[in-house]
């Protein structure tokens, strides 16, 4: 019979549920946590609970925030004519690190993926379409990842936007196909922004 400690197995199971965390890494993280001093372990647990309680989604762009509106949507200096559509909040952070983009964002919280049971209705697409009634909006930049699902999502959304007469562009392919925006460096993202082209 294999030696197990139920509480340790449970902790490992929880870490293994995180994206990109395999069973061995989950076990290492679990051992790290149980070896922390009590005060440090409590701070770690408290940070998780605080984030869950305080963080919600911006009523405009759907990015994470602690208020009803995020700091980007609340900033009067941002260019209100451009909305960059991204898959998740990590992509917003990646673009902000470039210091090249001063427009607004819209976070979809995923991509269309029929194999995973994710359709357009599971994404924040209707919230994006509602924003297009603002006459200030002149361009939508589709910045979904260059994957099959990301391309399908960009194409689907661009077809919905066309009747509004708003220009729809796609990031240039400085980003490798199959790559994630959150792992792209600032130079690659800047070039991709500069080389974006209109979706026809």
């Amino acid at each position: 019979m294999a030696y197990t400690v139920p509480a340790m197995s449970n902790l490992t199971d929880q870490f293994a549920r995180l994206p990109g965390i395999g069973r061995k890494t989950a076990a290492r993280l679990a051992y790290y946590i149980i070896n922390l001093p009590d005060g440090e372990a409590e701070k770690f647990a408290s940070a998780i609970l605080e984030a869950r309680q305080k963080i919600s989604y911006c009523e405009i762009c759907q990015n994470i925030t602690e208020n009803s509106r995020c700091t980007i949507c609340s900033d009067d200096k941002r260019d209100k004519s451009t909305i960059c559509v991204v898959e998740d909040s990590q992509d917003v952070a990646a673009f902000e690190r470039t210091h090249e983009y001063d427009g607004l964002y819209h976070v979809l919280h995923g991509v269309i993926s029929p194999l995973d049971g994710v359709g357009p209705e599971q994404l924040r697409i209707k919230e994006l379409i509602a924003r297009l009634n603002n006459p200030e909006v002149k361009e939508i930049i589709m910045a979904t990842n260059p994957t099959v699902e990301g391309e399908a999502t960009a194409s689907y959304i661009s077809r919905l936007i066309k009747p509004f007469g708003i220009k729809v562009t796609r990031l240039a392919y400085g980003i490798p196909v199959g790559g994630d925006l959150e792992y792209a460096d600032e130079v690659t993202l800047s070039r991709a922004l500069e080389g974006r082209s209109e979706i026809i």
Side-chain angles (χ1 to χ4, degrees):
M1 177 183 274
Y3 175 73
T4 61
V5 177
M8 185 65 170
S9 294
N10 183 39
L11 183 57
T12 301
D13 290 343
Q14 296 308 310
F15 277 120
R17 294 175 60 194
L18 298 172
I21 302 293
R23 193 84 192 151
K24 285 185 180 179
T25 301
R28 276 199 300 273
L29 291 170
Y31 275 105
Y32 174 80
I33 292 297
I34 64 166
N35 286 310
L36 283 175
D38 287 348
E40 291 298 311
E42 285 171 12
K43 278 205 300 199
F44 185 83
S46 176
I48 293 173
L49 292 173
E50 181 182 24
R52 289 289 295 141
Q53 291 163 359
K54 289 187 174 180
I55 294 175
S56 60
Y57 296 122
C58 174
E59 63 186 11
I60 298 174
C61 73
Q62 310 304 309
N63 192 14
I64 58 171
T65 181
E66 288 189 22
N67 303 303
S68 58
R69 291 188 179 185
C70 71
T71 55
I72 294 171
C73 288
S74 300
D75 186 350
D76 291 334
K77 294 178 182 166
R78 301 294 294 216
D79 176 8
K80 307 271 192 284
S81 70
T82 308
I83 299 174
C84 183
V85 179
V86 296
E87 292 181 21
D88 54 47
S89 296
Q90 290 128 304
D91 298 334
V92 172
F95 273 109
E96 287 299 289
R97 284 195 302 271
T98 70
H99 303 289
E100 294 286 330
Y101 178 70
D102 67 347
L104 301 176
Y105 295 94
H106 190 84
V107 182
L108 296 172
H109 295 282
V111 286
I112 297 170
S113 179
L115 292 176
D116 296 321
V118 180
E121 55 283 346
Q122 275 84 47
L123 305 178
R124 305 296 174 94
I125 296 174
K126 66 179 181 300
E127 291 86 349
L128 171 63
I129 299 304
R131 296 176 70 184
L132 303 183
N133 291 315
N134 181 345
E136 284 186 272
V137 178
K138 305 296 182 198
E139 179 184 4
I140 302 295
I141 303 170
M142 294 307 305
T144 52
N145 289 317
T147 60
V148 172
E149 295 83 3
E151 292 296 328
T153 304
S155 179
Y156 175 83
I157 293 173
S158 68
R159 285 195 303 272
L160 293 179
I161 294 171
K162 284 294 180 185
F164 289 87
I166 295 170
K167 181 179 178 183
V168 181
T169 58
R170 184 80 170 110
L171 285 185
Y173 285 99
I175 307 222
V177 174
D180 284 328
L181 290 175
E182 67 180 291
Y183 299 119
D185 61 83
E186 290 83 356
V187 174
T188 300
L189 274 176
S190 295
R191 287 180 179 163
L193 264 173
E194 289 168 4
R196 67 186 184 270
S197 57
E198 187 168 3
I199 298 175
I200 299 171

